[in-house]
Structures are given as C-alpha cells and as structure tokens.
Amino acid sequence: GNPRSGLNMRRHPTGGVVLAPAFTYGMTERLETEISWDYTLESPDGEPSTRQLLTAFEFKERFWAPAGEDGPSAGVKGKFALPANVSGPHGSTDPEGYVKFIYARPSGAAELDYNLGYKYRGAWGAGGDDKLFAGVCLRYKTGPRWQWLGEVFAEMPERHGHGTTGVVAAGFKCKVRDGLKGDLLVGTGLGPGAPNLRVSCGLVWAL
C-alpha cells in the first residue's frame, strides 16, 4: 500500500473558509481509499459551521500510452464518497462522486491536460445535482521541485435551469522535501453564482 495524508484549505463558494484534512491509502495501483473531514473555519454571512466526514473510494486507469511516460496518454479516473456525521447548513448526507476522462500531452517541460466528465450528488439519475464538466490545465516544470499551473474549468448543470459556470485559476506545486509536497491555486469564477475568489492550498505527506 501507499498511505498518504494531506491538508487542504479552500474558500467556500459563498465566502467562507473550509479546512479539509484527508488520509489516502493505495490498496492497489488502481484503487485508493480516502477518509477526509470538511470543517468550515469561517462561515459565510454568519451561518453556523459545517462539519462533514467523507469516506471515499477512488480508482484510476491509464489505458493508452503508446510512447511510454514521455508521450501522450489517456485515462479514466473516478470517485465515490459517502458522507457521515454531517452538521451545518451546507452539509449533506447524499452520496456524491464523479468520473472523468483525461488526455495528457507533454512537450518537454510543459504538459497540457484535458478533462471531460460527469459528477453528481444525491440519487444518481433521480433528480440529484448532476453536472457535466470540462477543463484544460497547463503544467510547466522549472527544475525538480517546482511546477507552475494554469487552468480553465467549466460546469454545466443538467437540471434546475442553472447556467454554466467556470473558474480560471493559476498557481504552483512544490516539492518541499522527500515525501512532502505543497500547492497553491488562486482564481476567479465565471458566470452567475460563481465565486469571486477561489483560493486552494494544501500539503501532502507520503508515509
């Protein structure tokens, strides 16, 4: 197995700050389990804090790589999560998950990643919060420690008459030392109801 623990902090879509520690264990090369805990440090508009424990199962499969590690590749990744011990106005006991197809094309120090997928919350196909999503991410390595990122991401709800929203963000990933990595992304929302500011930062330990 390959256990990892991580700590993420992000802005809530309506203005709060969420702390999300997680522990991930690689059961096989294709399947991981994760336990995470979302806790609202700062609630929007004075609302009560939200706490939610997630137990998730994640899989990934790289099914096409004709030129090996240095060439283009395609794969699929999915996640299914079951919430528990939920409290607060933004928590939910509904199951949630996603599946996405990924196409990556490296070119020297740069790499373009394309994502296309589907995610849901609630009963699958029975009035839940279903969305299609698509994104493009540019990665650029400057040495063995630093990787710079720029991404454009859009979500297209399938129901309830909501319009398409998106996010444009930029940031970096850094290898602090062996087994410890950090990352930071700062962006802004596009479309009605999208966050004006999106900030995500995290640390990951490989044990």
Side-chain angles (χ1 to χ4, degrees):
N2 180 24
R4 290 180 287 115
S5 58
L7 178 65
N8 282 285
M9 184 177 293
R10 61 182 184 271
R11 297 291 300 181
H12 192 278
T14 55
V17 178
V18 178
L19 183 69
F23 178 81
T24 304
Y25 184 79
M27 302 176 66
T28 70
E29 291 184 358
R30 301 179 181 180
L31 178 65
E32 294 182 339
T33 57
E34 177 182 289
I35 297 177
S36 62
W37 186 60
D38 285 10
Y39 177 69
T40 306
L41 297 177
E42 175 189 331
S43 300
D45 303 324
E47 294 178 345
S49 296
T50 296
R51 294 179 296 276
Q52 179 171 281
L53 178 68
L54 291 172
T55 303
F57 299 89
E58 185 173 285
F59 70 89
K60 50 191 174 183
E61 174 65 26
R62 188 185 187 199
F63 57 79
W64 183 75
E69 294 294 331
D70 297 327
S73 64
V76 62
K77 184 176 182 180
K79 186 173 184 178
F80 176 73
L82 295 171
N85 298 328
V86 177
S87 68
H90 298 288
S92 172
T93 57
D94 291 332
E96 58 188 75
Y98 69 83
V99 60
K100 65 179 178 180
F101 296 93
I102 306 167
Y103 175 73
R105 187 166 187 88
S107 177
E111 179 180 308
L112 270 175
D113 294 348
Y114 302 89
N115 296 271
L116 178 64
Y118 166 82
K119 70 177 182 179
Y120 69 93
R121 174 180 290 174
W124 187 13
D129 184 14
D130 298 0
K131 296 178 181 179
L132 299 174
F133 62 88
V136 179
C137 179
L138 173 64
R139 306 170 184 267
Y140 190 83
K141 294 181 180 180
T142 53
R145 293 182 56 195
W146 292 90
Q147 185 180 69
W148 303 90
L149 309 173
E151 68 174 6
V152 180
F153 180 85
E155 291 186 341
M156 295 146 280
E158 292 191 320
R159 297 182 176 86
H160 314 306
H162 297 308
T164 299
T165 60
V167 172
V168 177
F172 64 85
K173 291 186 177 182
C174 176
K175 181 180 179 181
V176 181
R177 58 180 177 82
D178 289 342
L180 179 61
K181 298 179 181 179
D183 62 80
L184 173 68
L185 274 175
V186 180
T188 184
L190 304 172
N196 293 326
L197 176 66
R198 176 198 180 197
V199 180
S200 177
C201 58
L203 287 172
V204 176
W205 293 271
L207 306 177

